[in-house]
Amino acid sequence: MGDVTVLLSRWCSGDRGALDALTPLVYEELRAIAEHYLGKERSNHTLAPTALVHEAWLKLVRQDQSEFPNRKHFYALAARVMRNILVDHARALQTGKRGGGQMTIAFGEAQFTQTQHANQFLVLNDAMDRLAKMSPRQAQVIELRYFAGLNLEEISELTGVSQSTISRDQRAAEAWLGQAMQEGVR
Amino acid sequence: MTGGSEERWRKLQASFEQAMDLPPGDRAAFLAALDADEHLKRELHGMIRVASSGGVDLSQPIAALAGTASAAPAHPRRFGPYRIVREIGHGGMGVVYEAVREDEFHQRVALKIAPQWRGEEQLHARIRHERQVLAGLDHPNIARLIDGGSENGVPYFAMEYVEGIPITAFLHDRRPPLPARIALFQQVLAAVHYAHLNMVVHRDLKPSNILVTSEGVPKLLDFGIAKILDPMAGPGVTGTGMQWTPDYASPEQVRGLPVTAQTDVYSLALVLFEMLTGRRAQTADMSSPLALDKSICETEPARIGTELLHGDLLTIVFKAMSKEPSRRYESAAEFSADLTRCLNGLPVTARPNTFAYRASKFLRRHKGLAAGAALLAASVVAGFVSTLHQARQAESRFQQVRSLANAFVFDIHDRIQFLPGSTPARQAIVATALRYLENLQQSAGADADLARELAGAYHRIGDVQGNPTISNLGDRDGALASYRKAQSLLAPLVAQGDNASRLPLAGIETGLAMVRKEKGETKVALSHYQRACALADDALAGNPADRSALHFTANLYADWTRTLMQLNDPRAPAAAERAMLVARRLVAADPSRLDSLATLATAHNSLAAVFLSASQLEKAATGYRQSVELRSELVRRAADNVSYRRDLVVGLGTLGEVLGTRTGENLGDTAGAIAALRSALEHTRWLRRNDAADKRAVFDDLSVRMRLGAALLEGGMAQDALGLLRAALEENEALVKNEPGNYRFTVASGYLMRKEAEALAALGRNQEAVGAYRRAMERYAPLTSGPTGSSVVFSIVIVNVQIAGLLAATNPKAALEAANQAAALIAKSPQSLSVPWTKAKIPGDLGRLYQRLGDAARARPWLERSIAVWKQLRPPKALEAARQKEQALVEASLAHLAQSKVVER
């Protein structure tokens, strides 16, 4: 796993090419973990995407003794990747497919709920895209908060924006996304 | 992404925030009145609706999708009597939600619920435990328990919802001064101490668990891993594994040792460190258990003072974060008490109980007893000196005694040097130190290290004796002798190519230059400066980023600039530019250091002085203003520092001159000048109040009052000026009486009397004014051959012209006598009229006087001489009107003369 750490360090020090090489690695790992959970039928066991991101971190980097700042950059990248994975997953659900081309077994009620969740998620995703067009910073805060599970302090450190500003940004962005989702549902 | 849509978002967010600040009932009206398109208004309306109905939980659709197998939403919408608004945080402990109690009170709470997806009894037990802990605590700075229970077998509790941000973020946003930061932290200490008294140790204190509300009230949160100490059970090992936050964990937590109140003291010390420096005190290295142990149990942050964290405060923080629990404060209350002592300038318990430390604190509190303390200090050093003799036989003991005594001498001196009232103590220390150094030198031999050390010591002694830029003891010859000793020790080393000795030798040359200059031996001073500059440039060339070289070189060039200007040397502007260049590099290298800012201020000052000498007044005023701003900042940050305050006084005085009091060369801003000088007066008052023996403070105070008096006169406030000038004069006369030969005090008396007379004349009290002028003349008479002879002659000329003017109507004979005397003096030493303005003004006044006294023959040449100068004079814009008026007066007199001539014929 050494290359992930090396690539992360290179990306942190401004090498954009390293990001291009890094993304597929993180994507693969996250997808594998996500598939493991998303594909499983579980009755009382859910795992938030933020936990998946953390697990990816542990698998890819942590055992390689990397430094702290890398972790936040990793999470920023992983948040984006995680979001994409979930978008793929939701689209697959909408079209009645599961990852790996497997046919879904209809469960009646359960499947209906799944599709509803997928729709709801895609509405949110679409709203986030529109928010990013108006204000990339606010959209990033939401992504880091909800897809990588970073807290206020960590987002502040990563983006270099003060915690109070981020807190205000988040409040406005959430309100906007909330109204956009309500509009979208109607 | 277009600029327009970004603009749109800014408007949305700003309006949204404005609306949310309003009471809910006023929001609709706000929305209606908003100047925006309908689409934006609709979005805004939606946002407000979402936010006022408790916000939206975005994690829900994400978690719902991710957990598709589970039909349950990621978080319940309701829990017991609570409606859940949003998730605040989650961890191994469970989830914390913002929730509202659905009864008539609609109380907002933080609801902590045990994790439902892992039905482990242990986690449920922990939630109950925290509830139990909180139930026993009732303190304004601890988030209160409101309610608790269990719902379908899942335990939960509700506590006060704290709307705040982490304490470090709060400080980062508000940037309060040091005392306010300490006070905030002491509230936290009080809360933690309260918990300790209730046998509760928090064990997870960190900024994100200490929130500060917008009213500035800190609140402790998250007693999730708090431990209830059972006094009967003795210290026990925690069985819960790694729960704490590594970056704020104590060594005993990392090692699994017993946790006590001192564990919280440790974490709080880390928090305080961060509150004062903005940096984490420790960073846990999680790469391996060994690395973690090392990073927390062995690694200390660098013990370097910063702007807010230095001196006793630094010692306190380091005591509190000792790796060994027993070396920390025993309680949060003791920690707090020591902080209070530190803020009040009392000795803190964190200090090792050294004599020097206690002596300096003692001196700070009992200024009158300084001499006694100094005697004590001197006797201790004398003890070292005699030991030195005996120790010479055994080399190793010699080294020990040497370093001990060396450290001791300077330890005491450095601690007290900025303390007001310390002059006698410092004199005693200097005398003892010199004796000790002589002893040491005899034993030195050819050891280069010892030679450098000795030179350094002599340099510092010389500074204390007579370096005019610091608070010195006024012993110039003593200073020269000490500097020369240092020079003779260092020069051979530099000649042998020893780079490390370059900068120290440059320092010595500068010291020699400054003292020579102070003695009036400017030529000799110049040659010392030249040598110092060459040495400093060499040192800097060898190491361009060296902070001390940058600092030294910038100050040196600034100082040299001043000397060059006094000699009208054309190299002055280049030297000033170099000072600015180096000072800017210095500040860029380390913008937070006070001495860097001081150096930049000095550089601004010398460049401004260069502009002033080239009559570029606007540029000069700008430079002086920048310098004054920097220096005010320094005084704000280091209120006890005498030199910063003195520099500010000088800066304000010069700014005042340029703005409104410099004869014929000012910006005509009398009000600005008065304001600057009044501000300077506050600082000279402070300096005098704090050290009655500081002669320079007395003299600075008097000079400021002289200038302020002149400025008030200029501004038409003669009555105010009179009171101020008379008080200053009375004090100055006492000084003259005490030291009859003192040139500066005598000149000052003459000046004050002259200004007193001007004030009296402005008030129409002519008789008294003449008396004051005559007394001024008595003071000036013996001084004409002194170092500023020509300006004294100029003063006598002015006094005579003024007397003649006042007596012209009542006593023409005496008036004529005075006018003749003035005329004779100008004829004898024409250089006394040094400034262009006075070259025009004085002859004009004299000519008009002769005319008034009926002596047309004498009047004409003076008037003609005056008109020639007025015509070609180009004063600053603000003074142009005054010039025209003066010129018109002289022209009118000449016209009048021409007419009477016609009549005579």
Side-chain angles (χ1 to χ4, degrees):
Chain A
M1 293 301 166
D3 8 339
V4 173
T5 314
V6 172
L7 287 170
L8 260 179
S9 302
R10 274 174 49 203
W11 178 40
C12 290
S13 51
D15 180 353
R16 300 294 301 178
L19 179 61
D20 295 338
L22 191 57
T23 307
L25 291 178
V26 175
Y27 188 90
E28 271 318 300
E29 187 60 39
L30 266 175
R31 204 177 54 82
I33 301 170
E35 209 136 77
H36 174 70
Y37 286 101
L38 297 173
K40 243 186 178 169
E41 306 299 340
R42 285 152 297 141
S43 54
N44 62 348
H45 196 154
T46 71
L47 200 54
T50 54
L52 301 185
V53 169
H54 184 64
E55 197 169 323
W57 161 259
L58 291 177
K59 281 198 173 159
L60 281 172
V61 191
R62 163 71 185 283
Q63 60 230 50
D64 212 48
Q65 306 188 5
S66 106
E67 289 159 15
F68 227 63
N70 287 356
R71 189 179 84 105
K72 278 176 248 119
H73 280 85
F74 174 85
Y75 274 41
L77 169 63
R80 170 59 50 86
V81 171
M82 189 69 228
R83 190 175 150 195
N84 290 337
I85 289 174
L86 287 172
V87 169
D88 291 346
H89 179 62
R91 294 211 172 112
L93 278 176
Q94 273 187 327
T95 52
K97 280 189 247 166
R98 270 275 170 89
Q102 224 177 351
M103 286 299 291
T104 321
I105 305 157
F107 272 139
E109 176 86 358
Q111 195 195 27
F112 172 73
T113 318
Q114 281 180 0
T115 317
Q116 216 183 20
H117 287 159
N119 291 343
Q120 200 187 2
F121 176 83
L122 290 171
V123 169
L124 169 65
N125 186 61
D126 177 52
M128 281 178 69
D129 283 343
R130 282 191 286 142
L131 175 64
K133 279 195 185 115
M134 284 198 292
S135 176
R137 190 177 79 196
Q138 269 78 356
Q140 200 201 6
V141 167
I142 296 294
E143 197 169 87
L144 291 170
R145 175 77 191 85
Y146 289 100
F147 288 88
L150 297 193
N151 63 27
L152 200 58
E153 197 179 336
E154 290 164 324
I155 298 175
S156 165
E157 275 178 51
L158 182 66
T159 57
V161 178
S162 81
Q163 290 190 33
S164 56
T165 303
I166 287 174
S167 175
R168 278 179 28 224
D169 283 356
Q170 188 185 333
R171 186 167 170 231
E174 283 179 4
W176 189 88
L177 289 170
Q179 65 83 29
M181 284 166 73
Q182 285 175 358
E183 291 279 310
V185 166
R186 265 176 217 149
Chain B
M1 188 194 336
T2 67
S5 67
E6 277 179 43
E7 183 56 42
R8 182 182 166 77
W9 174 261
R10 268 197 291 280
K11 172 140 195 177
L12 257 178
Q13 182 166 352
S15 314
F16 171 68
E17 282 166 2
Q18 270 178 292
M20 292 310 289
D21 283 343
L22 295 172
D26 296 351
R27 288 175 193 158
F30 169 80
L31 203 56
L34 194 68
D35 171 31
D37 61 72
E38 279 313 306
H39 181 52
L40 191 141
K41 279 191 183 184
R42 201 170 62 240
E43 280 181 333
L44 196 54
H45 181 250
M47 288 170 79
I48 294 169
R49 195 184 57 232
V50 167
S52 13
S53 62
V56 61
D57 181 16
L58 298 179
S59 64
Q60 198 269 328
I62 302 167
L65 177 72
T68 43
S70 158
H75 75 66
R77 301 220 151 262
R78 301 183 52 85
F79 197 91
Y82 295 94
R83 179 171 59 79
I84 287 173
V85 176
R86 68 182 179 103
E87 184 185 314
I88 299 171
H90 56 257
M93 291 296 309
V95 195
V96 185
Y97 298 106
E98 181 189 336
V100 177
R101 195 181 165 97
E102 302 240 282
D103 58 11
E104 72 247 52
F105 300 115
H106 289 286
Q107 187 172 18
R108 193 145 71 131
V109 300
L111 191 66
K112 197 160 186 173
I113 305 176
Q116 297 163 63
W117 43 270
R118 276 198 274 170
E120 290 153 57
E121 189 48 38
Q122 201 196 354
L123 292 171
H124 288 192
R126 223 181 295 153
I127 291 280
R128 287 195 207 96
H129 166 81
E130 186 177 0
R131 194 167 74 205
Q132 184 199 345
V133 167
L134 279 178
L137 299 177
D138 180 16
H139 190 276
N141 300 113
I142 297 177
R144 218 170 61 252
L145 179 73
I146 290 170
D147 180 21
S150 77
E151 190 70 22
N152 297 329
V154 179
Y156 73 91
F157 65 86
M159 60 191 158
E160 174 185 3
Y161 179 83
V162 179
E163 183 139 37
I165 56 174
I167 191 163
T168 42
F170 178 81
L171 297 180
H172 183 264
D173 287 356
R174 304 261 184 115
R175 300 192 178 277
L178 180 68
R181 283 171 199 247
I182 300 290
L184 183 69
F185 182 73
Q186 284 182 312
Q187 290 186 61
V188 177
L189 279 174
V192 171
H193 187 59
Y194 168 85
H196 290 169
L197 291 178
N198 285 281
M199 308 313 285
V200 173
V201 183
H202 188 287
R203 298 200 298 183
D204 195 18
L205 289 165
K206 55 181 172 181
S208 56
N209 279 340
I210 309 169
L211 298 191
V212 183
T213 67
S214 53
E215 291 85 39
V217 181
K219 296 264 188 186
L220 288 192
L221 305 178
D222 200 354
F223 281 73
I225 63 160
K227 183 177 162 58
I228 299 180
L229 298 173
D230 182 353
M232 304 305 288
V237 177
T238 69
T240 47
M242 188 186 126
Q243 296 282 329
W244 29 267
T245 311
D247 279 353
Y248 297 93
S250 61
E252 59 267 29
Q253 281 172 302
V254 169
R255 292 187 168 162
L257 296 171
V259 163
T260 64
Q262 272 101 331
T263 306
D264 283 348
V265 166
Y266 180 87
S267 303
L268 283 174
L270 302 185
V271 172
L272 179 58
F273 181 92
E274 198 169 330
M275 286 169 68
L276 299 178
T277 62
R279 286 182 288 122
R280 287 262 166 99
Q282 89 184 9
T283 307
D285 180 347
M286 302 293 288
S287 55
S288 74
L290 207 67
L292 177 66
D293 190 271
K294 197 169 170 226
S295 62
I296 292 189
C297 306
E298 287 169 29
T299 316
E300 272 201 356
R303 204 181 183 116
I304 299 166
T306 63
E307 187 190 319
L308 289 178
L309 183 59
H310 56 257
D312 281 353
L313 197 50
L314 186 72
T315 317
I316 290 176
V317 172
F318 271 81
K319 178 185 165 98
M321 56 187 187
S322 299
K323 300 297 181 192
E324 185 70 41
S326 62
R327 300 185 65 157
R328 298 174 204 149
Y329 291 97
E330 265 195 43
S331 69
E334 278 187 26
F335 190 174
S336 183
D338 228 10
L339 287 171
T340 303
R341 277 191 284 271
C342 172
L343 285 184
N344 294 334
L346 293 165
V348 301
T349 63
R351 277 281 174 178
N353 209 5
T354 63
F355 170 78
Y357 174 70
R358 291 174 65 84
S360 68
K361 285 289 164 187
F362 179 78
L363 284 178
R364 199 184 271 275
R365 278 175 295 135
H366 305 280
K367 287 161 199 153
L369 297 176
L375 283 182
L376 198 53
S379 70
V380 175
V381 179
F384 281 126
V385 173
S386 59
T387 322
L388 199 62
H389 275 298
Q390 297 154 14
R392 222 176 309 160
Q393 282 84 7
E395 182 59 20
S396 64
R397 273 208 67 210
F398 170 72
Q399 295 297 342
Q400 275 173 9
V401 176
R402 165 186 132 197
S403 56
L404 190 59
N406 215 349
F408 191 81
V409 168
F410 292 115
D411 197 25
I412 295 192
H413 180 264
D414 290 357
R415 278 173 200 284
I416 66 170
Q417 68 169 333
F418 292 123
L419 286 185
S422 60
T423 304
R426 292 165 64 199
Q427 276 163 345
I429 290 168
V430 164
T432 318
L434 280 173
R435 243 185 17 251
Y436 153 73
L437 287 175
E438 271 156 34
N439 267 304
L440 196 55
Q441 196 165 13
Q442 283 166 22
S443 327
D447 183 344
D449 280 340
L450 187 57
R452 266 195 297 266
E453 183 187 317
L454 274 169
Y458 274 118
H459 186 181
R460 296 170 75 176
I461 295 287
D463 283 349
V464 175
Q465 288 172 303
N467 181 337
T469 62
I470 62 169
S471 172
N472 70 85
L473 298 170
D475 177 9
R476 289 182 204 140
D477 291 330
L480 285 179
S482 296
Y483 286 148
R484 268 195 229 103
K485 279 196 177 129
Q487 189 188 34
S488 67
L489 285 159
L490 287 176
L493 293 176
V494 170
Q496 288 160 27
D498 177 23
N499 281 325
S501 296
R502 282 226 167 87
L503 213 53
L505 183 56
I508 300 294
E509 293 287 354
T510 313
L512 285 165
M514 286 188 296
V515 177
R516 291 291 187 182
K517 193 168 115 183
E518 189 76 356
K519 288 184 80 172
E521 300 162 7
T522 351
K523 285 261 161 60
V524 190
L526 213 55
S527 69
H528 284 301
Y529 272 128
Q530 248 167 314
R531 253 176 288 171
C533 287
L535 284 161
D537 284 340
D538 283 352
L540 202 55
N543 196 353
D546 181 45
R547 227 197 70 81
S548 54
L550 284 167
H551 180 83
F552 178 83
T553 310
N555 279 307
L556 173 61
Y557 271 94
D559 210 40
W560 195 32
T561 307
R562 277 193 292 278
T563 314
L564 290 172
M565 283 175 51
Q566 281 162 10
L567 297 173
N568 286 324
D569 191 305
R571 286 173 296 177
E577 296 282 0
R578 172 123 180 102
M580 263 315 261
L581 182 84
V582 180
R584 287 228 160 93
R585 266 164 62 191
L586 176 69
V587 172
D590 195 350
S592 65
R593 284 191 61 130
L594 297 188
D595 53 357
S596 302
L597 295 182
T599 302
L600 183 59
T602 307
H604 271 300
N605 231 31
S606 29
L607 195 57
V610 169
F611 283 132
L612 185 59
S613 72
S615 293
Q616 290 175 278
L617 295 186
E618 297 280 359
K619 280 188 180 173
T622 306
Y624 284 126
R625 248 191 223 109
Q626 267 162 332
S627 161
V628 160
E629 264 165 38
L630 285 165
R631 286 176 170 162
S632 305
E633 179 61 25
L634 287 168
V635 168
R636 263 197 296 282
R637 290 205 213 163
D640 259 0
N641 187 313
V642 170
S643 6
Y644 289 161
R645 209 176 277 260
R646 172 160 293 145
D647 287 343
L648 176 58
V649 167
V650 174
L652 284 165
T654 321
L655 181 61
E657 275 193 357
V658 178
L659 288 179
T661 65
R662 211 176 139 91
T663 313
E665 274 192 304
N666 65 66
L667 293 168
D669 178 7
T670 313
I674 291 174
L677 291 165
R678 280 203 201 281
S679 164
L681 203 56
E682 276 170 35
H683 296 293
T684 56
R685 287 279 146 83
W686 185 95
L687 287 166
R688 292 190 59 173
R689 222 177 21 247
N690 283 280
D691 189 355
D694 187 347
K695 277 194 180 173
R696 208 174 140 176
V698 175
F699 194 74
D700 283 346
D701 184 47
L702 285 167
S703 344
V704 170
R705 285 150 83 188
M706 275 184 227
R707 285 182 206 178
L708 182 55
L712 289 169
L713 272 174
E714 198 76 28
M717 288 169 265
Q719 195 65 52
D720 290 352
L722 185 62
L724 184 101
L725 290 163
R726 279 195 163 158
L729 179 60
E730 192 183 329
E731 190 172 344
N732 202 66
E733 283 289 270
L735 292 173
V736 173
K737 211 169 158 189
N738 221 11
E739 257 184 87
N742 189 307
Y743 183 81
R744 285 218 280 196
F745 291 156
T746 316
V747 172
S749 260
Y751 181 84
L752 283 164
M753 288 168 175
R754 227 175 83 201
K755 289 289 157 185
E756 180 199 8
E758 272 181 46
L760 287 165
L763 293 167
R765 291 150 70 172
N766 289 4
Q767 248 355 83
E768 290 170 76
V770 171
Y773 275 130
R774 291 213 192 280
R775 283 196 298 280
M777 202 113 79
E778 277 170 38
R779 286 276 173 262
Y780 282 133
L783 302 178
T784 49
S785 57
T788 55
S790 66
S791 85
V792 172
V793 172
F794 168 70
S795 300
I796 300 177
V797 168
I798 293 231
V799 168
N800 275 304
V801 171
Q802 300 291 353
I803 291 178
L806 288 170
L807 295 181
T810 51
N811 188 348
K813 200 172 152 233
L816 193 63
E817 210 173 286
N820 285 342
Q821 215 167 345
L825 278 170
I826 297 174
K828 197 173 145 206
S829 44
Q831 76 278 8
S832 61
L833 301 184
S834 55
V835 188
W837 187 273
T838 57
K839 275 191 182 129
K841 170 87 173 143
I842 301 295
D845 286 355
L846 203 51
R848 283 165 56 220
L849 258 175
Y850 276 127
Q851 189 191 17
R852 252 178 98 187
L853 294 167
D855 192 339
R858 279 189 172 146
R860 185 181 311 281
W862 287 110
L863 290 171
E864 279 166 354
R865 181 172 169 175
S866 170
I867 204 78
V869 185
W870 281 131
K871 275 184 179 160
Q872 53 157 343
L873 194 63
R874 295 287 168 267
K877 258 184 253 138
L879 300 184
E880 177 55 23
R883 184 198 68 84
Q884 285 176 9
K885 200 178 130 203
E886 292 285 348
Q887 187 180 332
L889 282 173
V890 178
E891 273 167 354
S893 294
L894 275 172
H896 194 257
L897 271 188
Q899 256 185 353
S900 30
K901 217 171 189 177
V902 174
V903 174
E904 269 168 39
R905 277 179 193 164

